[in-house]
Amino acid sequence: AAASVAIRCSNISASDDRRSTMSATEAAAATPVVEKSDNHADAHDVKLTPLLAFKYVASLGLMVFSMVLVGALIFTKNTRVAQEASPWVSLIVLILAVLWLTMIEGQQASLVGLPPVDPDLYKDSHPMTYKNAAIAFKGDNLDRYLMGRQFMVLLVVFVINQCASPMDPSADVLGLPDGVKTVFLDVPGLGMIIFTCILGQLTTQVNASHCMIDTINNYFALFTLYTTMVVEFSGIMHASYLIQNILSGISGKPIMTNEEPRTGFTFAFFWGRVVMSVAILSFCMAATLVALFNGQTSISTKYPSITPGISVFLFFFFMAIVGMLEGMQIAFFAVAKLPANERGTSFFGRKTCELLFKGNGENLPGFMIGRQLTVVASFFLVGSITSMNIEPGTGENIFGVSDSAQTFLNYGFQGAVITTILASISWQLAASAFPIAFLNNPVTYILLCVALFLEFTGLCSGAWVLARVLKTTLKYQYDEVYVGTPEERAANNHADKAYGDDMGHLAGAGFRGYACGSRDALDGPIEEIAADEGA
């Protein structure tokens, strides 16, 4: 016991406190019974080594330091919201944005992992989870949720950027040396990256990957689900469906759907929103490019030496980085179950798969963490590039829009529309249609190496410590405590629903996620776990 400490997720008993209010007879009558072993929590233990302990402590220290820096920026009015509204408004909006981001990120892990599981297994013990599932798993709602969620992630990250990113990175902050300010506040902006990744994303993702059922058993998750559905229904992102159909035609692969073909009003309403979305996307792109060429964006204010041409190049470069990383995620999950000799058909494709699936897939979770760091950094940079610096009322408004519209454009939210459609969803759809082509791309191998290096540094290792604290505080239990492992469910006549083979098909903007109650690569090679049990 002394040699192994459960840092990533705490050990807890297999008893379910939520079911204590029901009698044994009522529970047996209302809920299917799955016999479960009681040692599943042990499978999530991680051996604490001196290096790992150092990474945990150092990462938490960097997180606290980053939080202090963000607070100092806000209360010296060195962020856009603090400057134009007030420091307290900036702080409150920032806190709310980070909290919402935690649910947006955690809910995805839950909703992409629960579809195969018989909902009757958690219907009575977790009524809100059941309600979330009933809505999300109806027809094509899961794809709609994933599309709306993708825009919300971008939007919330852009809000965080406006609340906490420095207007002037060279200004005095707590008397810190210029070198420290450059690394943490300027390029690469490490403070904002660590702050957002640990508090807003990875902590809740770590818990949700193994506690799917508890994570969304609340009204906050239900509210978030409804919000994502409204965002998708609004049609802002519907240009993605046009891209989906184009890719389907090019690849000759069908668009998977659980609904009847659209006809009549439904058909017209859908394609009407597609046309509207293309118009919105075109305006956002045109406004951004005009501002970039005129030197009217935040990046021109922060770095006057950067020419408009370089600004445009950086804009497309970082969108391409985001797109590659989004597509890589889809491609990696798509080919994970293929035989090794079918995963890559070129030199770089084979090198990528050898590195990614080394051992028993131990580098896959490492990529996901490093990818998160890189994507968030790119989001912040795109946000700085697309936010405008035009003073309303001076006659310089983009395309002569009203002053209120120009004020809105100054915050750069048009960048969230562009990035969601052109740098996120489109690349995910392309990777779903052509996963092997993504693997064969040499850029994929380079970005994989970068992501694994970033994960190795341990910059965000503190997320696992915070995840354990949060899990203990909220009394989350592992999914197998409630519904057993996939093998146990199958042995008790509650086998998971079969998945269609979606590799190469266009199936929305998400990936399957981890099997509910399974021992996945987040906790190390499966062979090692099995060997330990045998010993």
Side-chain angles (χ1 to χ4, degrees), residues 319-363:
M319 285 216 301
I321 293 296
V322 171
M324 281 298 301
L325 290 166
E326 295 282 13
M328 287 165 62
Q329 170 183 269
I330 301 301
F332 290 168
F333 276 91
V335 303
K337 62 182 179 295
L338 290 179
N341 61 350
E342 297 180 16
R343 288 172 175 166
T345 58
S346 73
F347 172 79
F348 281 104
R350 289 188 292 271
K351 293 287 288 184
T352 296
C353 291
E354 288 171 4
L355 179 59
L356 181 68
F357 299 108
K358 177 184 176 183
N360 194 46
E362 59 196 59
N363 280 337

mmCIF file of all heavy atoms in Angstrom, residues 319-363:
data_model
loop_
_atom_site.group_PDB
_atom_site.id
_atom_site.type_symbol
_atom_site.label_atom_id
_atom_site.label_comp_id
_atom_site.label_asym_id
_atom_site.label_seq_id
_atom_site.Cartn_x
_atom_site.Cartn_y
_atom_site.Cartn_z
ATOM 1 N N MET A 319 -4.529 28.232 -37.136
ATOM 2 C CA MET A 319 -5.761 27.499 -37.416
ATOM 3 C C MET A 319 -5.437 26.122 -37.984
ATOM 4 O O MET A 319 -6.123 25.136 -37.679
ATOM 5 C CB MET A 319 -6.638 28.279 -38.392
ATOM 6 C CG MET A 319 -7.341 29.465 -37.771
ATOM 7 S SD MET A 319 -8.993 29.720 -38.463
ATOM 8 C CE MET A 319 -8.602 29.942 -40.186
ATOM 9 N N ALA A 320 -4.389 26.040 -38.807
ATOM 10 C CA ALA A 320 -3.990 24.741 -39.352
ATOM 11 C C ALA A 320 -3.472 23.820 -38.254
ATOM 12 O O ALA A 320 -3.737 22.609 -38.266
ATOM 13 C CB ALA A 320 -2.927 24.931 -40.429
ATOM 14 N N ILE A 321 -2.740 24.378 -37.285
ATOM 15 C CA ILE A 321 -2.252 23.581 -36.154
ATOM 16 C C ILE A 321 -3.434 23.016 -35.368
ATOM 17 O O ILE A 321 -3.469 21.818 -35.027
ATOM 18 C CB ILE A 321 -1.363 24.432 -35.227
ATOM 19 C CG1 ILE A 321 -0.070 24.838 -35.941
ATOM 20 C CG2 ILE A 321 -1.038 23.667 -33.948
ATOM 21 C CD1 ILE A 321 0.819 23.688 -36.316
ATOM 22 N N VAL A 322 -4.423 23.876 -35.082
ATOM 23 C CA VAL A 322 -5.622 23.410 -34.385
ATOM 24 C C VAL A 322 -6.311 22.314 -35.194
ATOM 25 O O VAL A 322 -6.692 21.267 -34.670
ATOM 26 C CB VAL A 322 -6.600 24.577 -34.135
ATOM 27 C CG1 VAL A 322 -7.941 24.049 -33.604
ATOM 28 C CG2 VAL A 322 -6.012 25.563 -33.143
ATOM 29 N N GLY A 323 -6.449 22.551 -36.500
ATOM 30 C CA GLY A 323 -7.115 21.569 -37.355
ATOM 31 C C GLY A 323 -6.410 20.231 -37.371
ATOM 32 O O GLY A 323 -7.043 19.173 -37.275
ATOM 33 N N MET A 324 -5.082 20.244 -37.486
ATOM 34 C CA MET A 324 -4.325 18.998 -37.477
ATOM 35 C C MET A 324 -4.517 18.240 -36.167
ATOM 36 O O MET A 324 -4.740 17.022 -36.161
ATOM 37 C CB MET A 324 -2.840 19.287 -37.703
ATOM 38 C CG MET A 324 -2.449 19.540 -39.141
ATOM 39 S SD MET A 324 -2.745 18.121 -40.240
ATOM 40 C CE MET A 324 -1.727 16.856 -39.457
ATOM 41 N N LEU A 325 -4.446 18.942 -35.060
ATOM 42 C CA LEU A 325 -4.578 18.288 -33.761
ATOM 43 C C LEU A 325 -5.988 17.750 -33.540
ATOM 44 O O LEU A 325 -6.174 16.686 -32.941
ATOM 45 C CB LEU A 325 -4.198 19.266 -32.645
ATOM 46 C CG LEU A 325 -2.705 19.618 -32.586
ATOM 47 C CD1 LEU A 325 -2.469 20.825 -31.693
ATOM 48 C CD2 LEU A 325 -1.899 18.429 -32.078
ATOM 49 N N GLU A 326 -6.994 18.480 -34.022
ATOM 50 C CA GLU A 326 -8.368 17.985 -33.926
ATOM 51 C C GLU A 326 -8.543 16.741 -34.796
ATOM 52 O O GLU A 326 -9.159 15.751 -34.391
ATOM 53 C CB GLU A 326 -9.356 19.076 -34.364
ATOM 54 C CG GLU A 326 -9.386 20.311 -33.470
ATOM 55 C CD GLU A 326 -10.162 20.101 -32.190
ATOM 56 O OE1 GLU A 326 -10.483 18.947 -31.864
ATOM 57 O OE2 GLU A 326 -10.452 21.097 -31.504
ATOM 58 N N GLY A 327 -8.012 16.796 -36.020
ATOM 59 C CA GLY A 327 -8.121 15.651 -36.905
ATOM 60 C C GLY A 327 -7.340 14.449 -36.425
ATOM 61 O O GLY A 327 -7.785 13.300 -36.559
ATOM 62 N N MET A 328 -6.154 14.688 -35.846
ATOM 63 C CA MET A 328 -5.342 13.594 -35.319
ATOM 64 C C MET A 328 -6.083 12.822 -34.242
ATOM 65 O O MET A 328 -6.021 11.594 -34.179
ATOM 66 C CB MET A 328 -4.025 14.145 -34.776
ATOM 67 C CG MET A 328 -3.043 14.582 -35.853
ATOM 68 S SD MET A 328 -1.698 15.621 -35.210
ATOM 69 C CE MET A 328 -0.902 14.495 -34.048
ATOM 70 N N GLN A 329 -6.794 13.548 -33.389
ATOM 71 C CA GLN A 329 -7.557 12.887 -32.320
ATOM 72 C C GLN A 329 -8.555 11.903 -32.913
ATOM 73 O O GLN A 329 -8.657 10.751 -32.478
ATOM 74 C CB GLN A 329 -8.288 13.952 -31.503
ATOM 75 C CG GLN A 329 -9.294 13.394 -30.514
ATOM 76 C CD GLN A 329 -10.030 14.502 -29.788
ATOM 77 O OE1 GLN A 329 -9.622 14.942 -28.735
ATOM 78 N NE2 GLN A 329 -11.120 14.966 -30.352
ATOM 79 N N ILE A 330 -9.296 12.344 -33.929
ATOM 80 C CA ILE A 330 -10.281 11.479 -34.567
ATOM 81 C C ILE A 330 -9.605 10.301 -35.256
ATOM 82 O O ILE A 330 -10.035 9.148 -35.136
ATOM 83 C CB ILE A 330 -11.114 12.284 -35.590
ATOM 84 C CG1 ILE A 330 -11.827 13.460 -34.912
ATOM 85 C CG2 ILE A 330 -12.124 11.379 -36.281
ATOM 86 C CD1 ILE A 330 -12.773 13.085 -33.809
ATOM 87 N N ALA A 331 -8.535 10.577 -36.005
ATOM 88 C CA ALA A 331 -7.846 9.517 -36.749
ATOM 89 C C ALA A 331 -7.255 8.476 -35.806
ATOM 90 O O ALA A 331 -7.326 7.270 -36.079
ATOM 91 C CB ALA A 331 -6.746 10.132 -37.623
ATOM 92 N N PHE A 332 -6.671 8.916 -34.696
ATOM 93 C CA PHE A 332 -6.053 7.977 -33.761
ATOM 94 C C PHE A 332 -7.075 7.034 -33.155
ATOM 95 O O PHE A 332 -6.840 5.827 -33.041
ATOM 96 C CB PHE A 332 -5.328 8.743 -32.654
ATOM 97 C CG PHE A 332 -4.086 9.455 -33.112
ATOM 98 C CD1 PHE A 332 -3.462 10.394 -32.299
ATOM 99 C CD2 PHE A 332 -3.535 9.203 -34.353
ATOM 100 C CE1 PHE A 332 -2.318 11.041 -32.707
ATOM 101 C CE2 PHE A 332 -2.387 9.863 -34.786
ATOM 102 C CZ PHE A 332 -1.777 10.788 -33.956
ATOM 103 N N PHE A 333 -8.227 7.572 -32.754
ATOM 104 C CA PHE A 333 -9.257 6.707 -32.181
ATOM 105 C C PHE A 333 -9.864 5.801 -33.244
ATOM 106 O O PHE A 333 -10.276 4.678 -32.962
ATOM 107 C CB PHE A 333 -10.358 7.543 -31.513
ATOM 108 C CG PHE A 333 -10.028 7.961 -30.116
ATOM 109 C CD1 PHE A 333 -9.386 9.159 -29.862
ATOM 110 C CD2 PHE A 333 -10.345 7.149 -29.045
ATOM 111 C CE1 PHE A 333 -9.062 9.549 -28.572
ATOM 112 C CE2 PHE A 333 -10.029 7.524 -27.741
ATOM 113 C CZ PHE A 333 -9.390 8.720 -27.503
ATOM 114 N N ALA A 334 -9.917 6.303 -34.489
ATOM 115 C CA ALA A 334 -10.506 5.502 -35.566
ATOM 116 C C ALA A 334 -9.686 4.263 -35.884
ATOM 117 O O ALA A 334 -10.231 3.207 -36.201
ATOM 118 C CB ALA A 334 -10.676 6.360 -36.819
ATOM 119 N N VAL A 335 -8.348 4.373 -35.810
ATOM 120 C CA VAL A 335 -7.491 3.244 -36.200
ATOM 121 C C VAL A 335 -6.995 2.451 -34.999
ATOM 122 O O VAL A 335 -6.277 1.460 -35.171
ATOM 123 C CB VAL A 335 -6.276 3.735 -37.023
ATOM 124 C CG1 VAL A 335 -6.737 4.512 -38.240
ATOM 125 C CG2 VAL A 335 -5.328 4.579 -36.170
ATOM 126 N N ALA A 336 -7.370 2.846 -33.790
ATOM 127 C CA ALA A 336 -6.821 2.198 -32.589
ATOM 128 C C ALA A 336 -7.092 0.704 -32.565
ATOM 129 O O ALA A 336 -6.281 -0.079 -32.046
ATOM 130 C CB ALA A 336 -7.388 2.859 -31.330
ATOM 131 N N LYS A 337 -8.235 0.285 -33.116
ATOM 132 C CA LYS A 337 -8.595 -1.136 -33.041
ATOM 133 C C LYS A 337 -8.182 -1.924 -34.273
ATOM 134 O O LYS A 337 -8.476 -3.116 -34.377
ATOM 135 C CB LYS A 337 -10.100 -1.277 -32.823
ATOM 136 C CG LYS A 337 -10.957 -0.705 -33.932
ATOM 137 C CD LYS A 337 -12.419 -0.859 -33.583
ATOM 138 C CE LYS A 337 -13.313 -0.283 -34.666
ATOM 139 N NZ LYS A 337 -13.174 1.160 -34.809
ATOM 140 N N LEU A 338 -7.536 -1.263 -35.227
ATOM 141 C CA LEU A 338 -7.075 -1.976 -36.420
ATOM 142 C C LEU A 338 -5.806 -2.765 -36.128
ATOM 143 O O LEU A 338 -5.032 -2.402 -35.236
ATOM 144 C CB LEU A 338 -6.794 -0.978 -37.549
ATOM 145 C CG LEU A 338 -7.983 -0.269 -38.192
ATOM 146 C CD1 LEU A 338 -7.480 0.693 -39.268
ATOM 147 C CD2 LEU A 338 -8.948 -1.268 -38.792
ATOM 148 N N PRO A 339 -5.543 -3.826 -36.884
ATOM 149 C CA PRO A 339 -4.262 -4.531 -36.752
ATOM 150 C C PRO A 339 -3.110 -3.571 -37.043
ATOM 151 O O PRO A 339 -3.246 -2.643 -37.849
ATOM 152 C CB PRO A 339 -4.357 -5.630 -37.817
ATOM 153 C CG PRO A 339 -5.819 -5.824 -38.042
ATOM 154 C CD PRO A 339 -6.451 -4.483 -37.842
ATOM 155 N N ALA A 340 -1.978 -3.801 -36.387
ATOM 156 C CA ALA A 340 -0.844 -2.892 -36.508
ATOM 157 C C ALA A 340 -0.416 -2.688 -37.950
ATOM 158 O O ALA A 340 -0.030 -1.582 -38.345
ATOM 159 C CB ALA A 340 0.327 -3.414 -35.677
ATOM 160 N N ASN A 341 -0.495 -3.743 -38.776
ATOM 161 C CA ASN A 341 -0.015 -3.623 -40.154
ATOM 162 C C ASN A 341 -0.973 -2.870 -41.064
ATOM 163 O O ASN A 341 -0.686 -2.643 -42.238
ATOM 164 C CB ASN A 341 0.264 -5.013 -40.745
ATOM 165 C CG ASN A 341 -0.986 -5.884 -40.790
ATOM 166 O OD1 ASN A 341 -2.016 -5.522 -40.212
ATOM 167 N ND2 ASN A 341 -0.882 -7.013 -41.457
ATOM 168 N N GLU A 342 -2.134 -2.465 -40.528
ATOM 169 C CA GLU A 342 -3.095 -1.720 -41.335
ATOM 170 C C GLU A 342 -3.210 -0.265 -40.903
ATOM 171 O O GLU A 342 -3.971 0.503 -41.487
ATOM 172 C CB GLU A 342 -4.481 -2.378 -41.248
ATOM 173 C CG GLU A 342 -4.543 -3.785 -41.814
ATOM 174 C CD GLU A 342 -5.934 -4.383 -41.699
ATOM 175 O OE1 GLU A 342 -6.888 -3.605 -41.466
ATOM 176 O OE2 GLU A 342 -6.072 -5.614 -41.835
ATOM 177 N N ARG A 343 -2.458 0.126 -39.895
ATOM 178 C CA ARG A 343 -2.627 1.468 -39.333
ATOM 179 C C ARG A 343 -1.909 2.555 -40.120
ATOM 180 O O ARG A 343 -2.305 3.711 -40.068
ATOM 181 C CB ARG A 343 -2.146 1.484 -37.877
ATOM 182 C CG ARG A 343 -3.079 0.754 -36.937
ATOM 183 C CD ARG A 343 -2.469 0.639 -35.564
ATOM 184 N NE ARG A 343 -3.376 0.036 -34.597
ATOM 185 C CZ ARG A 343 -3.012 -0.420 -33.405
ATOM 186 N NH1 ARG A 343 -1.734 -0.361 -33.047
ATOM 187 N NH2 ARG A 343 -3.897 -0.934 -32.595
ATOM 188 N N GLY A 344 -0.838 2.235 -40.795
ATOM 189 C CA GLY A 344 -0.109 3.226 -41.559
ATOM 190 C C GLY A 344 0.424 2.620 -42.833
ATOM 191 O O GLY A 344 0.899 1.485 -42.829
ATOM 192 N N THR A 345 0.345 3.378 -43.927
ATOM 193 C CA THR A 345 0.771 2.828 -45.212
ATOM 194 C C THR A 345 1.967 3.583 -45.789
ATOM 195 O O THR A 345 2.290 3.415 -46.957
ATOM 196 C CB THR A 345 -0.395 2.872 -46.214
ATOM 197 O OG1 THR A 345 -0.851 4.234 -46.354
ATOM 198 C CG2 THR A 345 -1.543 1.990 -45.734
ATOM 199 N N SER A 346 2.609 4.420 -44.996
ATOM 200 C CA SER A 346 3.794 5.144 -45.447
ATOM 201 C C SER A 346 4.823 5.127 -44.328
ATOM 202 O O SER A 346 4.546 4.677 -43.202
ATOM 203 C CB SER A 346 3.441 6.588 -45.821
ATOM 204 O OG SER A 346 3.180 7.351 -44.652
ATOM 205 N N PHE A 347 5.996 5.652 -44.604
ATOM 206 C CA PHE A 347 7.055 5.688 -43.595
ATOM 207 C C PHE A 347 6.593 6.446 -42.351
ATOM 208 O O PHE A 347 6.709 5.954 -41.224
ATOM 209 C CB PHE A 347 8.309 6.343 -44.182
ATOM 210 C CG PHE A 347 9.388 6.608 -43.164
ATOM 211 C CD1 PHE A 347 10.215 5.578 -42.738
ATOM 212 C CD2 PHE A 347 9.574 7.871 -42.628
ATOM 213 C CE1 PHE A 347 11.208 5.810 -41.788
ATOM 214 C CE2 PHE A 347 10.560 8.119 -41.683
ATOM 215 C CZ PHE A 347 11.384 7.082 -41.264
ATOM 216 N N PHE A 348 6.047 7.654 -42.557
ATOM 217 C CA PHE A 348 5.625 8.455 -41.411
ATOM 218 C C PHE A 348 4.364 7.884 -40.763
ATOM 219 O O PHE A 348 4.173 8.012 -39.550
ATOM 220 C CB PHE A 348 5.387 9.909 -41.839
ATOM 221 C CG PHE A 348 6.654 10.707 -41.975
ATOM 222 C CD1 PHE A 348 7.172 11.004 -43.220
ATOM 223 C CD2 PHE A 348 7.339 11.138 -40.849
ATOM 224 C CE1 PHE A 348 8.345 11.735 -43.344
ATOM 225 C CE2 PHE A 348 8.506 11.861 -40.965
ATOM 226 C CZ PHE A 348 9.016 12.168 -42.213
ATOM 227 N N GLY A 349 3.514 7.244 -41.553
ATOM 228 C CA GLY A 349 2.347 6.603 -40.972
ATOM 229 C C GLY A 349 2.738 5.493 -40.022
ATOM 230 O O GLY A 349 2.192 5.371 -38.919
ATOM 231 N N ARG A 350 3.711 4.679 -40.437
ATOM 232 C CA ARG A 350 4.184 3.597 -39.561
ATOM 233 C C ARG A 350 4.909 4.141 -38.347
ATOM 234 O O ARG A 350 4.737 3.635 -37.227
ATOM 235 C CB ARG A 350 5.077 2.650 -40.360
ATOM 236 C CG ARG A 350 4.318 1.802 -41.385
ATOM 237 C CD ARG A 350 5.209 0.742 -42.001
ATOM 238 N NE ARG A 350 6.254 1.343 -42.843
ATOM 239 C CZ ARG A 350 6.103 1.609 -44.130
ATOM 240 N NH1 ARG A 350 4.961 1.342 -44.738
ATOM 241 N NH2 ARG A 350 7.097 2.131 -44.828
ATOM 242 N N LYS A 351 5.718 5.192 -38.532
ATOM 243 C CA LYS A 351 6.426 5.796 -37.396
ATOM 244 C C LYS A 351 5.433 6.373 -36.385
ATOM 245 O O LYS A 351 5.617 6.240 -35.169
ATOM 246 C CB LYS A 351 7.365 6.897 -37.889
ATOM 247 C CG LYS A 351 8.538 6.403 -38.732
ATOM 248 C CD LYS A 351 9.576 5.698 -37.879
ATOM 249 C CE LYS A 351 10.351 6.684 -37.016
ATOM 250 N NZ LYS A 351 11.422 6.000 -36.254
ATOM 251 N N THR A 352 4.405 7.019 -36.898
ATOM 252 C CA THR A 352 3.388 7.592 -36.011
ATOM 253 C C THR A 352 2.713 6.515 -35.186
ATOM 254 O O THR A 352 2.547 6.653 -33.966
ATOM 255 C CB THR A 352 2.333 8.360 -36.842
ATOM 256 O OG1 THR A 352 2.949 9.464 -37.496
ATOM 257 C CG2 THR A 352 1.207 8.866 -35.951
ATOM 258 N N CYS A 353 2.309 5.420 -35.824
ATOM 259 C CA CYS A 353 1.609 4.346 -35.116
ATOM 260 C C CYS A 353 2.524 3.615 -34.141
ATOM 261 O O CYS A 353 2.098 3.228 -33.050
ATOM 262 C CB CYS A 353 1.010 3.367 -36.124
ATOM 263 S SG CYS A 353 -0.354 4.074 -37.083
ATOM 264 N N GLU A 354 3.781 3.424 -34.519
ATOM 265 C CA GLU A 354 4.729 2.779 -33.609
ATOM 266 C C GLU A 354 4.902 3.593 -32.331
ATOM 267 O O GLU A 354 4.962 3.036 -31.230
ATOM 268 C CB GLU A 354 6.083 2.609 -34.301
ATOM 269 C CG GLU A 354 6.096 1.543 -35.391
ATOM 270 C CD GLU A 354 7.390 1.564 -36.178
ATOM 271 O OE1 GLU A 354 8.298 2.351 -35.817
ATOM 272 O OE2 GLU A 354 7.497 0.808 -37.173
ATOM 273 N N LEU A 355 4.965 4.914 -32.488
ATOM 274 C CA LEU A 355 5.132 5.778 -31.319
ATOM 275 C C LEU A 355 3.848 5.880 -30.514
ATOM 276 O O LEU A 355 3.856 5.772 -29.287
ATOM 277 C CB LEU A 355 5.581 7.169 -31.772
ATOM 278 C CG LEU A 355 5.796 8.224 -30.674
ATOM 279 C CD1 LEU A 355 6.862 7.759 -29.683
ATOM 280 C CD2 LEU A 355 6.192 9.563 -31.301
ATOM 281 N N LEU A 356 2.739 6.043 -31.202
ATOM 282 C CA LEU A 356 1.457 6.246 -30.521
ATOM 283 C C LEU A 356 1.019 5.015 -29.753
ATOM 284 O O LEU A 356 0.574 5.100 -28.607
ATOM 285 C CB LEU A 356 0.391 6.630 -31.537
ATOM 286 C CG LEU A 356 -1.001 6.912 -30.980
ATOM 287 C CD1 LEU A 356 -0.994 8.173 -30.142
ATOM 288 C CD2 LEU A 356 -2.018 7.033 -32.115
ATOM 289 N N PHE A 357 1.129 3.838 -30.387
ATOM 290 C CA PHE A 357 0.626 2.606 -29.785
ATOM 291 C C PHE A 357 1.743 1.785 -29.155
ATOM 292 O O PHE A 357 1.604 0.562 -28.988
ATOM 293 C CB PHE A 357 -0.114 1.782 -30.837
ATOM 294 C CG PHE A 357 -1.300 2.504 -31.411
ATOM 295 C CD1 PHE A 357 -1.266 2.994 -32.708
ATOM 296 C CD2 PHE A 357 -2.442 2.724 -30.656
ATOM 297 C CE1 PHE A 357 -2.350 3.674 -33.247
ATOM 298 C CE2 PHE A 357 -3.519 3.400 -31.180
ATOM 299 C CZ PHE A 357 -3.482 3.874 -32.474
ATOM 300 N N LYS A 358 2.827 2.436 -28.805
ATOM 301 C CA LYS A 358 3.939 1.768 -28.130
ATOM 302 C C LYS A 358 3.438 1.062 -26.872
ATOM 303 O O LYS A 358 2.618 1.589 -26.134
ATOM 304 C CB LYS A 358 5.008 2.802 -27.767
ATOM 305 C CG LYS A 358 6.181 2.237 -26.992
ATOM 306 C CD LYS A 358 7.119 3.376 -26.599
ATOM 307 C CE LYS A 358 8.267 2.857 -25.732
ATOM 308 N NZ LYS A 358 9.153 3.961 -25.286
ATOM 309 N N GLY A 359 3.983 -0.153 -26.617
ATOM 310 C CA GLY A 359 3.514 -0.921 -25.458
ATOM 311 C C GLY A 359 2.080 -1.348 -25.693
ATOM 312 O O GLY A 359 1.778 -2.140 -26.562
ATOM 313 N N ASN A 360 1.164 -0.767 -24.927
ATOM 314 C CA ASN A 360 -0.249 -1.108 -25.088
ATOM 315 C C ASN A 360 -1.075 0.171 -25.245
ATOM 316 O O ASN A 360 -2.097 0.351 -24.614
ATOM 317 C CB ASN A 360 -0.737 -1.912 -23.883
ATOM 318 C CG ASN A 360 -2.080 -2.570 -24.158
ATOM 319 O OD1 ASN A 360 -2.274 -3.164 -25.210
ATOM 320 N ND2 ASN A 360 -3.002 -2.466 -23.224
ATOM 321 N N GLY A 361 -0.549 1.066 -26.074
ATOM 322 C CA GLY A 361 -1.251 2.327 -26.274
ATOM 323 C C GLY A 361 -0.973 3.343 -25.192
ATOM 324 O O GLY A 361 -1.746 4.275 -24.996
ATOM 325 N N GLU A 362 0.165 3.199 -24.492
ATOM 326 C CA GLU A 362 0.434 4.075 -23.348
ATOM 327 C C GLU A 362 0.667 5.522 -23.745
ATOM 328 O O GLU A 362 0.550 6.429 -22.910
ATOM 329 C CB GLU A 362 1.657 3.555 -22.576
ATOM 330 C CG GLU A 362 2.921 3.479 -23.417
ATOM 331 C CD GLU A 362 4.002 2.619 -22.777
ATOM 332 O OE1 GLU A 362 3.749 1.440 -22.531
ATOM 333 O OE2 GLU A 362 5.078 3.162 -22.519
ATOM 334 N N ASN A 363 1.012 5.774 -25.023
ATOM 335 C CA ASN A 363 1.256 7.145 -25.447
ATOM 336 C C ASN A 363 -0.006 7.858 -25.925
ATOM 337 O O ASN A 363 0.027 9.071 -26.157
ATOM 338 C CB ASN A 363 2.305 7.177 -26.574
ATOM 339 C CG ASN A 363 3.714 7.060 -26.035
ATOM 340 O OD1 ASN A 363 3.973 7.372 -24.877
ATOM 341 N ND2 ASN A 363 4.628 6.606 -26.864
#
